Amino acid sequence: MSDDVFINQVMDRLKDKGFLMITDDFIDQLIITLHANVSAINSLIEIVEVENQLLALRRELPTGSRQVDSLKELSTRIAEIAFNVEGVRDEQR
């Protein structure tokens, strides 16, 4: 029996029992992607905050305050997911 066949049989049996097996490579890539999303969102927050400051200097109403709050909340939630995934990875190892 080849290694691939054996691994597939084990994975199928674990799925049948309700266990989910995720490879370390997949989890690592997911964590990297989540952290990259947090970084991108934080950059967007900075851009909106600068835009708000420029609008305030021109005595126009800043329009991005709600956007900043929403982006901060989204960034926080994605970071929490990333840390939870890291916890799952650490438990699997």
Side-chain angles (χ1 to χ4, degrees):
M1 177 183 307
S2 74
D3 288 344
D4 289 339
V5 172
F6 177 73
I7 290 170
N8 288 334
Q9 286 179 352
V10 170
M11 292 293 285
D12 289 341
R13 289 181 187 161
L14 287 169
K15 287 177 191 174
D16 291 342
K17 300 266 187 209
F19 294 103
L20 177 63
M21 295 293 292
I22 301 173
T23 64
D24 284 344
D25 290 341
F26 178 83
I27 292 175
D28 292 341
Q29 188 61 47
L30 178 59
I31 291 167
I32 290 167
T33 303
L34 290 168
H35 284 297
N37 285 328
V38 170
S39 295
I41 291 168
N42 289 342
S43 295
L44 288 173
I45 291 168
E46 290 178 22
I47 291 169
V48 173
E49 287 175 336
V50 168
E51 179 186 29
N52 286 344
Q53 291 171 356
L54 291 172
L55 288 171
L57 288 173
R58 293 175 54 190
R59 297 177 197 260
E60 296 179 22
L61 291 175
T63 57
S65 296
R66 286 189 353 204
Q67 289 173 339
V68 169
D69 293 340
S70 291
L71 288 170
K72 285 181 180 178
E73 182 67 25
L74 180 60
S75 178
T76 300
R77 297 224 184 252
I78 292 173
E80 289 172 354
I81 292 168
F83 289 120
N84 287 337
V85 171
E86 286 175 355
V88 168
R89 178 193 60 195
D90 294 342
E91 286 176 12
Q92 278 190 350
R93 290 185 176 167

